Amino acid sequence: NSRRTEGGISARVFLNGGWGFASSPDLTDDSIGKVIRTAAGNARFMDSRLGNKPYQLPSIPGNSSKSFETQKPRKSQKELIDFAREVDAIIQGDCPGLRSRSVVLQGLDMEKSLITSDGAESYSYIPRTIFYIDLSMEKDGEPFELFEPMGGRGQFEDLFSQPAQLKDGILKTYEHLRAKSQGVYPQAGVRECVLDSYLAGVFAHEAIGHTTEADLVIGGSVAGEYLNKQVGSELVNMVDFAHTAFGETCPVPLYVDDEGTVARDAVLIEKGILKGFMHNRETALHFNTEPTGNAKAFRFSDEPLIRMRNTTVLPGESNLDDMIASIDDGYYLLRFNNGQADTTSEFMFGINLGYEIKNGKVGRAIRDTTISGVAFETLKTVTMISNDLSWSCGGMCGKKQPLPVGMGGPAIKCEVSIGGR
């Protein structure tokens, strides 16, 4: 049972191609003035060492005030703990045979105010509340585990009214775990697979999204070689949404980024062709385009970096049942537990929930395995995309600093290399 509040001020100054940055946890007027002066001094120092010719960054200043803070009376810490205990009691009563169980309630409220010298001014209050349910059981001396987040954007009072509303998610996770404990090892090789929306969202973020962040493109990402070239089948369209998608507010909405730029959608892939990158002001100047408002920082002491906001492959025209029915011998993959991808678009993800597909039907669960490949080659094997979309409720990105992000997508049928025993 812990609660922490952290805050402060930072200032960032640009001078002839050099940045100066400073921060302080002290929010007094004297401290604010000192932080600004220190940041300006740091910028002058960088300018003296870099010797750049003066130039101006593109400017699209935004003005916005958005708060998703609850209007309901806040629950006490005791009430939250009691709620979590009732959730735990549901698991204890309805999920026999568990080796262990864990219920974690976690909230993150991010409040920011920003003002810039070129006229931007913004305020945002973006909360997120997640229940993490972790279940494990043992079969023939071997442990099996599944992990499921539930919740999303908003504070506890707006998302959860009674413990029973989590019951369906708990029971579904429990049934998947039971099936997994009876599961088989997959057959290694390149196989036709359906990546469920959760896994497809992680794939889009990790294996493709990071390669199209413009700072990483400048640093040598393979996406720099593929601009305006075919990187996927014509079915594939991919967008990093700023704040609104398909008429609804995104999981992590951003209206004005942390450089003061109006945040707009960044179209990454259109009909299989790589169309653009995600930009801050500096990379937009480098590529002679407009900034997309992708500069974000986590703590007040962090400098803003180019980060994803709400990245997804757009829905297609197929339904999930037809996608599964089209596969004679493959796998339906639903969840991952770890993974990595690099700027070559090579990826490897650990899969901790999946099922066989035999003769167009979902079969036995499979044990933990891995999938791997090269993302821009995997996209070329996409033959079906589902006509629905769902967002992951607990996405986090770890690019130098942790940050909540929106990840989601439709289900995708493609070919990947899957590991065996």
Side-chain angles (χ1 to χ4, degrees), residues 54 84 151 154 279 293 348 366:
H279 291 285
M348 177 178 287
I366 60 173

Short mmCIF file of all heavy atoms in Angstrom, two decimals, residues 54 84 151 154 279 293 348 366:
data_model
loop_
_atom_site.label_atom_id
_atom_site.label_comp_id
_atom_site.label_asym_id
_atom_site.label_seq_id
_atom_site.Cartn_x
_atom_site.Cartn_y
_atom_site.Cartn_z
N PRO A 54 23.29 29.93 -37.13
CA PRO A 54 21.95 30.13 -36.56
C PRO A 54 20.86 29.62 -37.52
O PRO A 54 20.95 29.79 -38.73
CB PRO A 54 21.86 31.64 -36.38
CG PRO A 54 23.28 32.10 -36.29
CD PRO A 54 24.05 31.20 -37.19
N ALA A 84 -9.78 -4.34 -3.67
CA ALA A 84 -8.83 -5.33 -4.18
C ALA A 84 -8.97 -6.66 -3.45
O ALA A 84 -8.83 -7.74 -4.05
CB ALA A 84 -7.40 -4.80 -4.07
N GLY A 151 -8.56 -2.36 -17.17
CA GLY A 151 -8.74 -0.96 -16.80
C GLY A 151 -8.45 -0.07 -17.99
O GLY A 151 -8.82 -0.38 -19.12
N GLY A 154 -8.42 6.89 -17.18
CA GLY A 154 -9.40 7.34 -16.20
C GLY A 154 -8.97 6.98 -14.79
O GLY A 154 -8.03 6.20 -14.59
N HIS A 279 7.69 12.89 -35.80
CA HIS A 279 8.66 13.99 -35.72
C HIS A 279 8.47 14.88 -34.50
O HIS A 279 7.35 15.11 -34.03
CB HIS A 279 8.55 14.89 -36.95
CG HIS A 279 8.99 14.26 -38.23
ND1 HIS A 279 10.31 14.08 -38.54
CD2 HIS A 279 8.27 13.77 -39.28
CE1 HIS A 279 10.41 13.51 -39.74
NE2 HIS A 279 9.18 13.30 -40.20
N GLY A 293 4.14 16.54 -33.59
CA GLY A 293 3.78 16.65 -32.18
C GLY A 293 4.02 15.36 -31.42
O GLY A 293 3.21 14.97 -30.57
N MET A 348 11.82 -10.39 -31.72
CA MET A 348 11.61 -11.67 -31.07
C MET A 348 10.72 -11.42 -29.86
O MET A 348 11.05 -10.60 -29.00
CB MET A 348 12.91 -12.32 -30.64
CG MET A 348 12.69 -13.64 -29.88
SD MET A 348 14.23 -14.47 -29.40
CE MET A 348 14.78 -15.09 -30.99
N ILE A 366 -1.02 -24.01 -26.46
CA ILE A 366 0.41 -24.30 -26.57
C ILE A 366 1.15 -23.74 -25.37
O ILE A 366 0.69 -22.81 -24.70
CB ILE A 366 1.01 -23.72 -27.88
CG1 ILE A 366 0.84 -22.19 -27.93
CG2 ILE A 366 0.38 -24.38 -29.09
CD1 ILE A 366 1.55 -21.53 -29.10
#
